Amino acid sequence: MTESPTSSESAPPPSPIGAEPWTAAIAWALLDTPARDDLAVLFRFVAAARAVADHPALSIERKEAALAALASPFDATAAAGTADAAWTAPAQALADLLARRGIDSRAAWQILQAAGQDLRKTRYRDWSDLLMWCRFSAAPVGALALHILDGDATATKAAESLALAVQMTEIVRRAPSHYRWLGRVYLP
């Protein structure tokens, strides 16, 4: 395995779920090395999807191409074409992990769908509309994390709910920068 800045011996990867750095570091330290490595794969994928959607300088066309590159490892009929490996590598790593562990990849598609929605939708008309976006953005991360950690499948709804709550907290925390840099307002 190639060493990366998010290997198990280093600090935890940037948390896509909004935890404070010290709480994330404690939680990270409590996991065994294989679990940390596998979750790091998931978090790199989520961070890549968010980096595309939230990049203030990329055109919508470039963002769509990058999201297509992120999707290509999950679709045997799709070709990544000349996509930058920086976009395909995190997705390929997650696709390989999910295949190896027998985990359905639909949640990865949902994460990409939410990122794609962010390219064109900049306002949410009501809480129901925002929660629907969170069902594709946050809930799949919670479900994938639970499955990667071999959690009890009966806890999937709880993992999704926790991810939704953390996503809402992150939306409030980042509201000024989302508006300032992207013209995006999640809060109804």
Side-chain angles (χ1 to χ4, degrees):
M1 184 168 129
T2 305
E3 287 296 319
S4 68
T6 56
S7 71
S8 59
E9 292 79 32
S10 64
S15 176
I17 56 174
E20 291 296 322
W22 65 271
T23 57
I26 291 169
W28 197 255
L30 294 174
L31 296 172
D32 62 17
T33 300
R36 283 193 303 258
D37 289 346
D38 288 350
L39 282 178
V41 169
L42 170 61
F43 291 164
R44 282 192 294 269
F45 171 75
V46 172
R50 293 306 330 148
V52 170
D54 294 347
H55 198 297
L58 289 180
S59 69
I60 289 178
E61 294 76 21
R62 296 270 319 269
K63 289 179 180 187
E64 287 172 339
L67 288 175
L70 279 166
S72 65
F74 300 101
D75 184 358
T77 64
T82 59
D84 187 335
W87 297 125
T88 58
Q92 187 62 59
L94 182 61
D96 292 346
L97 171 66
L98 298 180
R100 187 173 66 250
R101 302 282 300 280
I103 300 171
D104 191 324
S105 66
R106 276 181 284 191
W109 283 102
Q110 291 172 329
I111 293 165
L112 293 172
Q113 183 177 349
Q117 182 174 313
D118 276 346
L119 303 187
R120 298 196 191 282
K121 187 168 186 167
T122 59
R123 302 284 189 279
Y124 290 83
R125 69 181 177 276
D126 54 32
W127 288 103
S128 178
D129 193 26
L130 178 59
L131 285 172
M132 182 57 69
W133 177 82
C134 288
R135 283 267 166 228
F136 287 91
S137 175
V141 177
L144 282 175
L146 178 73
H147 295 308
I148 288 169
L149 293 173
D150 295 323
D152 185 343
T154 60
T156 301
K157 289 292 180 203
E160 291 174 345
S161 295
L162 176 60
L164 283 169
V166 175
Q167 179 71 59
M168 289 297 211
T169 303
E170 187 69 4
I171 286 170
V172 170
R173 186 180 76 78
R174 296 188 60 206
S177 64
H178 280 141
Y179 179 70
R180 183 179 317 116
W181 295 105
L182 303 166
R184 194 180 301 147
V185 179
Y186 289 104
L187 298 172

